[in-house]
Amino acid sequence: MSRIAPDAKTGTAPEWVHLFPLGKMDGRDGRKFTLSDPHNLVALFNAGGVDLPIDYEHQSDKPSAGPIPAAGWVKELRVESDGLWGRVEWTATASQMIAGIPLYQPQLFAP
């Protein structure tokens, strides 16, 4: 798992979170993915104009009878040498949780 810990300088939730490694990935559920053109993915994200939600406990992957609370929204993507990163605007609740106790980002993909 990747650790989502408070920013070392500010003690607040991190603004940028590592989302995916570059290249081939195996999902924990057995699916296989390849991030072969991350710059195109960033371009598609920018063209779509829709923020990506970050939820708690993968609730958006499960059928739900009610609304799914967001922990934050990915507002911007960028490509770095180690993969795809997202700039997150955290909710007040998630910010407090991350600042108080480091959380773990599930390792859904392995390089």
Side-chain angles (χ1 to χ4, degrees):
M1 291 187 183
S2 300
R3 192 167 178 219
I4 299 179
D7 182 281
K9 293 180 183 175
T10 65
T12 60
E15 183 179 14
W16 288 90
V17 176
H18 186 240
L19 300 174
F20 298 104
L22 297 177
K24 294 183 179 185
M25 302 164 267
D26 293 329
R28 290 186 354 184
D29 61 2
R31 293 181 292 169
K32 297 185 183 302
F33 302 88
T34 302
L35 184 57
S36 59
D37 190 353
H39 296 284
N40 187 51
L41 183 60
V42 171
L44 290 170
F45 173 82
N46 291 339
V50 177
D51 300 334
L52 301 175
I54 296 177
D55 65 13
Y56 298 95
E57 304 293 330
H58 298 280
Q59 290 177 342
S60 61
D61 291 343
K62 303 169 189 165
S64 174
I68 298 168
W73 290 267
V74 175
K75 307 293 260 178
E76 182 181 349
L77 296 176
R78 74 178 182 206
V79 179
E80 297 288 337
S81 62
D82 60 348
L84 187 66
W85 287 75
R87 184 178 63 80
V88 180
E89 286 187 7
W90 300 101
T91 65
T93 300
S95 291
Q96 290 173 349
M97 291 174 66
I98 295 168
I101 302 170
L103 302 177
Y104 286 89
Q105 175 181 353
Q107 186 69 32
L108 298 178
F109 302 98

